[in-house]
Amino acid sequence: MVEVISERPNHSKRFAHPSVHYTVVDSLMRYAEFLGYGDIHTKIDERTGLKAIVAIHNLKRGPAIGGCRMVTYQTIDKAMEDALRLGYMMSYKAAINNLPHGGAKAVIIKPKEIKDREAFFEKFGEFVNELGGRYITAVDSGTSPQEMDIIARRTPFVTCTSKSGSDSDPSPLTALGVCRAIEAAVKFKLGRESLDGIHVAIQGAGHVGYYLAKDLSERGAILTIADINIKSLQRCVDEFGAKICHPDEIYDVKTDVFAPCALGAVLNMDTIKRLKTLIVAGSANNQLAHHHYGALMHERGILYAPDFLINAGGLIHVAVIYDHGDLKKSVEQINNIYHTVYDIFERSLHENRATNEIAEKIARDRLR
């Protein structure tokens, strides 16, 4: 269902030509149908300047949960596409990690100026509340606990407030899940119980990459890191004794583990052929340029930890905090990524199938 909730006066001169409008809507509707969408809701409020989208992908497992992203978009259809893609991904993350939630994403199109910040986010809170608990909002790019506090004045369906006990930066929790997956992969592939002396090449020294490097260093791993940000690289050199390499050379480093923690679609025909690693496990979203490249790595004997499973630490945290208000319980569930991914490795070996295919099938079955 696509529902447009608008408080904007219906002045026809403000709309594009009907044929152009139809083409954009038709394309997005086809994309939503392809992804298996349930509800897509929009809110346009002229008084506050709010333009927001909530894409609810699936409700079979419970109320949908996903962050509220506020960034600049060139066009509204780009914002809608982003919401659809991210909401779909959240469903799979929740399902594979056995959370009692569906997936969703909220996107606020960042205006040039927010004249009344409190009224702006209160209006978004009203929008969330109108959905009757089918969507639970949380922090994402461009929002923080301060915005969640304002939203919470108008709806109880919000987490990541300053009083909720969840951190505004999910990076350490995302890194924890990836680190646990690396430990599981090293045990499965190399028969090693410890990461001491294991060589990990990390692509990207940003928020998650930095915390992953920290976790791995504390466990005795040897690190090689690539990033375009010199300051981020130097921080890892100073704190963890990491070696650095040129961003394009990271695929050629002979290593035990390759951890993509930057851009998506980095695993393609060319880069997979260049890899000199036994394990791929990182935090980046959509690492495979094509679904079938998981099978290519499987054929080459490279153990791949599916990204949407192992990078879900932030989602697990906000979901558990919302449901139980228990930080200890959220960390326990993030640690359980170790067992989930290890089971998938065993199934992959037994069935002789790519790990991403097995993980996706588990998620799809749970969403049905």
Side-chain angles (χ1 to χ4, degrees):
M1 177 184 71
V2 176
E3 178 183 359
V4 179
I5 308 170
S6 176
E7 296 179 9
R8 180 175 178 172
N10 186 13
H11 300 313
S12 59
K13 66 180 181 180
R14 297 187 179 184
F15 291 91
H17 190 277
S19 62
V20 176
H21 178 69
Y22 173 79
T23 301
V24 172
V25 171
D26 182 58
S27 176
L28 288 170
M29 286 288 285
R30 287 179 182 275
Y31 184 49
E33 184 179 19
F34 172 75
L35 295 178
Y37 255 87
D39 299 4
I40 306 164
H41 306 267
T42 65
K43 169 73 76 173
I44 301 171
D45 182 61
E46 192 171 62
R47 184 179 65 85
T48 61
L50 177 70
K51 294 179 181 178
I53 302 159
V54 173
I56 300 175
H57 178 257
N58 193 288
L59 293 168
K60 296 284 178 65
R61 297 179 57 81
I65 191 165
C68 172
R69 170 171 295 198
M70 185 173 73
V71 297
T72 302
Y73 290 95
Q74 292 181 341
T75 62
I76 292 177
D77 56 301
K78 288 293 184 184
M80 179 73 78
E81 182 182 348
D82 209 21
L84 293 173
R85 177 179 59 84
L86 294 169
Y88 167 82
M89 185 188 304
M90 297 304 281
S91 270
Y92 272 62
K93 288 186 181 187
I96 193 64
N97 286 287
N98 219 19
L99 296 172
H101 290 282
K105 204 71 170 185
V107 164
I108 296 176
I109 300 172
K110 186 177 181 179
K112 292 182 179 179
E113 179 186 7
I114 300 177
K115 294 181 180 179
D116 187 334
R117 179 171 162 273
E118 296 202 355
F120 185 87
F121 283 101
E122 283 182 353
K123 180 57 67 175
F124 179 76
E126 291 175 9
F127 176 32
V128 171
N129 204 56
E130 288 168 0
L131 302 179
R134 288 151 62 218
Y135 167 62
I136 301 159
T137 196
V139 164
D140 205 315
S141 301
T143 59
S144 72
Q146 287 67 48
E147 283 75 43
M148 297 302 115
D149 287 346
I150 299 171
I151 292 166
R153 297 174 189 169
R154 295 290 184 263
T155 183
F157 307 116
V158 57
T159 185
C160 296
T161 63
S162 58
K163 296 179 181 179
S164 69
S166 46
D167 198 297
S168 60
D169 183 5
S171 301
L173 297 160
T174 302
L176 173 61
V178 176
C179 185
R180 295 294 284 143
I182 290 174
E183 289 178 308
V186 165
K187 180 180 178 182
F188 184 85
K189 189 74 174 178
L190 305 178
R192 295 274 302 273
E193 296 285 349
S194 166
L195 295 184
D196 189 36
I198 294 295
H199 187 187
V200 183
I202 302 177
Q203 183 185 48
H207 290 293
V208 179
Y210 166 78
Y211 284 108
L212 178 60
K214 183 175 185 293
D215 288 346
L216 293 171
S217 177
E218 289 172 352
R219 290 162 171 79
I222 300 166
L223 305 176
T224 298
I225 303 181
D227 198 290
I228 60 173
N229 189 314
I230 302 301
K231 288 184 178 179
S232 296
L233 283 177
Q234 192 60 51
R235 184 184 184 188
C236 291
V237 171
D238 294 342
E239 294 185 24
F240 315 128
K243 295 180 180 180
I244 61 175
C245 71
H246 189 276
D248 188 54
E249 295 172 352
I250 193 72
Y251 304 104
D252 304 308
V253 176
K254 189 175 182 180
T255 184
D256 298 305
V257 182
F258 173 56
C261 296
L263 300 175
V266 296
L267 296 171
N268 55 46
M269 187 72 75
D270 175 60
T271 57
I272 291 171
K273 287 181 179 179
R274 290 168 58 189
L275 287 177
K276 297 178 177 65
T277 189
L278 297 171
I279 297 164
V280 173
S283 66
N285 286 314
N286 301 318
Q287 294 167 24
L288 300 174
H290 192 286
H291 171 84
H292 297 308
Y293 291 141
L296 177 59
M297 283 193 287
H298 179 70
E299 291 168 6
R300 291 197 60 205
I302 298 173
L303 185 64
Y304 174 60
D307 49 30
F308 71 93
L309 161 58
I310 72 172
N311 68 9
L315 171 64
I316 293 170
H317 178 65
V318 298
V320 173
I321 289 293
Y322 181 83
D323 292 336
H324 306 287
D326 190 337
L327 176 60
K328 183 179 178 181
K329 188 175 179 66
S330 78
V331 173
E332 288 176 356
Q333 193 150 345
I334 292 168
N335 276 313
N336 196 52
I337 287 174
Y338 177 101
H339 303 289
T340 304
V341 75
Y342 197 92
D343 289 345
I344 287 173
F345 295 155
E346 288 188 321
R347 280 189 57 178
S348 173
L349 178 64
H350 178 70
E351 300 175 16
N352 193 26
R353 292 175 59 206
T355 54
N356 64 304
E357 294 176 7
I358 292 170
E360 288 165 14
K361 184 179 186 308
I362 292 170
R364 283 196 302 271
D365 289 347
R366 289 176 177 174
L367 290 172
R368 291 192 185 105

